[in-house]
Amino acid sequence: MNSSDGAAVVVGVDGSEPALRAVRLAATEATRRRRPLRVVHGFIWPLLHVPPAGGGLREQAEQIVAAAVAEAETAAPGVRVTGEIIDGEAAAVLLGETATAAMIVLGDRGLGGFSALVVGSVAIQVASYADCPVLVARGATRTGGPVVVGVDGSQSSILALGFAADTAAARGAELLAVHAYRHPTSTGPGDMQPLVYDEAQLQGEEERVLAESLAGLADRYPELHVTRQAVRARPGKALTEASRTAQLVVVGRQGRGEFTGLLLGSVSQSVLHHADCPVAVVRGPR
């Protein structure tokens, strides 16, 4: 995340209802973080060589941005809002913003998306490649409930934990750290998982992983109430279950044991597709 004072919360809009939900979420987040809000619309028509007769399309784009700016100002009076139309495809435009943005916010689906897709391709692309945290507006909007973060001991999840703690502290919410496991983790490349193992010992080891990940958190956030939950389950399913009463779920882009070639891990994708509240995806080290 860009921590410079001028870094804005950036929200992508396309005139759809999910985009307007994202605008309201982004405006609230900008207020909490004391940052300006930047409304961006990717205007793809010049890339398709639309003739001058299609000039009304730019007017429509201007109306989309103006409506989004007005929506943001209504949702969070006092927040500094600017809007811009940028020529380009939506995902590419938003990814171009990530180097200088504090956060990218977008809806889970946009205009023209396939009805069979739970989360649109733009959200998946931006979450996969962004250089800053990506907040996807989906599910129910809640002001109560915990901020949930998936923890597995990986560097990516440690960064997600820091983002979640900052967010929970800013919102005055409880932080629920969920560590889900299914079986012993192999200790090295090529190692096989043991066929026989002690269940109690496994639980103790996994609880230790969670405790070590949270070490020092109380010193940095003395007023933050943190609940730990180590549960034997698929991580995606455990986080989806927790999302039913949460106001936000935070995940790292890629977790422990996932294929390094995947830009967006299977757990993050599962949560993006099934969570019942907004989801933040935090990039780990390259």
Side-chain angles (χ1 to χ4, degrees):
M1 179 170 61
N2 191 324
S3 59
S4 63
D5 291 340
V9 171
V10 176
V11 59
V13 298
D14 63 1
S16 65
E17 179 53 36
L20 287 179
R21 290 201 304 270
V23 167
R24 293 189 287 269
L25 179 62
T28 303
E29 201 64 29
T31 300
R32 289 186 179 120
R33 296 177 181 273
R34 299 181 181 179
R35 294 189 178 277
L37 176 64
R38 177 171 160 80
V39 175
V40 172
H41 173 71
F43 190 60
I44 195 172
W45 296 107
L47 276 65
L48 302 179
H49 306 291
V50 173
L57 294 171
R58 183 166 288 275
E59 292 181 4
Q60 184 181 25
E62 291 171 352
Q63 293 172 1
I64 288 172
V65 172
V69 169
E71 187 77 17
E73 291 173 340
T74 299
V79 70
R80 183 160 61 90
V81 187
T82 58
E84 185 174 1
I85 299 170
I86 301 176
D87 291 350
E89 187 272 331
V93 166
L94 290 172
L95 287 170
E97 297 284 316
T98 65
T100 57
M103 176 190 302
I104 297 289
V105 185
L106 68 167
D108 57 347
R109 294 188 42 151
L111 291 175
F114 293 102
S115 59
L117 297 178
V118 181
V119 176
S121 61
V122 173
I124 294 295
Q125 290 181 64
V126 175
S128 298
Y129 291 96
D131 289 326
C132 65
V134 175
L135 179 58
V136 179
R138 60 162 295 112
T141 301
R142 303 184 184 95
T143 55
V147 170
V148 175
V149 59
V151 178
D152 64 6
S154 67
Q155 183 60 29
S156 183
S157 82
I158 296 302
L159 295 174
L161 177 61
F163 177 88
D166 282 340
T167 302
R171 297 186 179 194
E174 171 194 355
L175 178 65
L176 173 58
V178 177
H179 173 58
Y181 63 94
R182 298 186 63 207
H183 40 62
T185 304
S186 59
T187 57
D191 289 350
M192 295 183 63
Q193 296 165 351
L195 298 178
V196 179
Y197 52 87
D198 182 88
E199 182 69 32
Q201 181 180 356
L202 172 61
Q203 182 177 353
E205 290 174 352
E206 298 299 335
E207 289 178 347
R208 176 181 55 80
V209 169
L210 179 55
E212 289 178 351
S213 297
L214 298 178
L217 199 65
D219 294 332
R220 298 194 301 274
Y221 303 92
E223 297 182 0
L224 179 63
H225 178 63
V226 181
T227 299
R228 298 186 300 185
Q229 185 181 93
V231 56
R232 185 160 187 178
R234 291 182 181 273
K237 182 177 181 180
L239 292 170
T240 298
E241 288 288 331
S243 76
R244 293 178 180 175
T245 56
Q247 56 181 280
L248 176 69
V249 173
V250 183
V251 291
R253 186 178 292 176
Q254 188 181 76
R256 183 180 66 178
E258 295 189 309
F259 294 108
T260 56
L262 295 175
L263 288 167
L264 188 65
S266 59
V267 174
S268 300
Q269 291 200 46
S270 176
V271 175
L272 277 174
H273 282 288
H274 301 293
D276 191 39
C277 69
V279 177
V281 179
V282 180
R283 181 181 71 82
R286 291 191 183 278

